[in-house]
Amino acid sequence: AQRVTQPEKLLSVFKGAPVELKCNYSYSGSPELFWYVQYSRQRLQLLLRHISRESIKGFTADLNKGETSFHLKKPFAQEEDSAMYYCALLEYGNKLVFGAGTILRVKS
Amino acid sequence: GAGVSQSPSNKVTEKGKDVELRCDPISGHTALYWYRQSLGQGLEFLIYFQGNSAPDKSGLPSDRFSAERTGGSVSTLTIQRTQQEDSAVYLCASSPGGASGEETQYFGPGTRLLVL
């Protein structure tokens, strides 16, 4: 079965520190991966998708097929980055398979 | 433009009662999805509608759960004889789908269901 693993339930960093949210996946085909974010009292929203190769709000994520990883990174965390982050894999049939999520807390 | 909307935003019901949850997708989106977000299980896929094709019901946890989509737009998720373990946030999402190849799913605010 396809799986998405986010090993950290909570990641706490100081403002200005680098951030890396880990995501590993298992998938038999060519994966399409996403990062979704949910800020406090807001709906789940797309942060970025690997095929776009964009940087959104300073975040980037590179697909590493050898390590089956899609870690989310930002060089300098900001307080407004505090949120729940979900890594997701698009399964055959357009279903998103989500990881358990990581809460990012950025302290001042 | 308007995003995905869901109603009600909160629903409290008694065990054994039936509930209906509604989703209005983004206008023009042909694909519609239901997910469930619960403490123990995280975010789980429930069901997927694409145009006029038969829905993918592979994520529905039991036969108490059903969903329909009328006229290719609004969808209703029905849970019959609710149980306490059905308590969760039910999320609806839509995507352009079809020949556009755009797979990004846009989520609604969710319906928080509490079964007493």
Side-chain angles (χ1 to χ4, degrees), chain B residues 97-109:
Chain B
S100 72
E102 171 58 65
E103 307 294 358
T104 299
Q105 297 181 22
Y106 299 87
F107 284 80

Side-chain angles (χ1 to χ4, degrees), chain A residues 78-98:
Chain A
Q78 299 172 300
E79 289 181 71
E80 54 265 34
D81 296 329
S82 295
M84 172 72 97
Y85 290 81
Y86 292 96
C87 183
L89 170 73
L90 192 69
E91 197 176 58
Y92 177 77
N94 281 355
K95 295 172 275 192
L96 282 171
V97 176
F98 287 90

Side-chain angles (χ1 to χ4, degrees), chain B residues 4-32:
Chain B
V4 177
S5 60
Q6 293 185 244
S7 60
S9 53
N10 291 281
K11 176 73 178 178
V12 180
T13 190
E14 294 178 348
K15 178 181 170 181
K17 301 282 190 184
D18 298 351
V19 295
E20 285 189 352
L21 312 179
R22 177 187 167 107
C23 172
D24 283 89
I26 294 171
S27 178
H29 281 192
T30 61
L32 186 147

Side-chain angles (χ1 to χ4, degrees), chain A residues 8-27:
Chain A
E8 303 139 328
K9 288 188 178 179
L10 172 66
L11 182 63
S12 189
V13 301
F14 283 101
K15 177 182 172 182
V19 171
E20 183 178 65
L21 298 167
K22 292 185 167 52
C23 173
N24 287 88
Y25 66 91
S26 63
Y27 188 65

